[in-house]
Amino acid sequence: MQAHPSHAHLSQLISKYPKAAGAFFQTYNDLTLAQKWTDIAVIDVPECGRAAIKGLRPPLTTEEHHSVCVVVPCSLAESLSTSWIRHVFARLGTDAPEAMFVAICAEDSSIVYYKISKGIVKPPL
């Protein structure tokens, strides 16, 4: 991990949150290298013992525009609660988007992204 080019940018938060370091490092590199997000910023979320990643997600269709998204990396072995999710939204404050993504990282390097919305939201038709 230390030899990877992104490690220097992430090292402070990796050392601050060693339990979440693997998921954070894996998600950051997936978003920047594979998913091609831009304007990436790292957000410290001490209430949840980890860092989150904020950036511009590229459009999925020609009708979409770049959208600002927040991703909170987690390990598959972790247990999450609604209070934990509320802490993340509270930490993001007024900059919080209507929804965030939780990246669940497995030991085999696979990542599943779950969209979590504030309150009750009607699904799109």
Side-chain angles (χ1 to χ4, degrees):
M1 185 184 316
Q2 290 83 357
H4 196 276
S6 65
H7 186 269
H9 180 67
L10 308 175
S11 62
Q12 183 180 10
L13 290 168
I14 286 173
S15 61
K16 186 175 181 179
Y17 304 116
K19 288 183 182 179
F24 175 61
F25 184 77
Q26 183 178 337
T27 303
Y28 180 88
N29 287 308
D30 181 59
L31 293 176
T32 56
L33 302 173
Q35 304 298 325
K36 304 294 185 194
W37 282 31
T38 57
D39 296 334
I40 298 284
V42 178
I43 304 166
D44 191 358
V45 189
E47 301 85 355
C48 298
R50 70 193 65 245
I53 303 160
K54 182 177 182 179
L56 289 176
R57 184 185 72 177
L60 301 175
T61 65
T62 55
E63 293 84 35
E64 279 189 347
H65 300 287
H66 286 276
S67 57
V68 176
C69 296
V70 174
V71 178
V72 183
C74 300
S75 165
L76 183 60
E78 289 183 75
S79 295
L80 307 179
S81 67
T82 54
S83 64
W84 182 89
I85 293 168
R86 280 194 305 272
H87 282 301
V88 175
F89 274 120
R91 172 63 175 93
L92 297 174
T94 57
D95 292 335
E98 289 300 310
M100 69 175 175
F101 292 90
V102 175
I104 307 293
C105 303
E107 290 182 11
D108 67 354
S109 297
S110 60
I111 303 175
V112 176
Y113 294 94
Y114 288 96
K115 185 176 181 179
I116 309 290
S117 300
K118 287 183 185 178
I120 298 172
V121 177
K122 180 180 176 183
L125 297 177

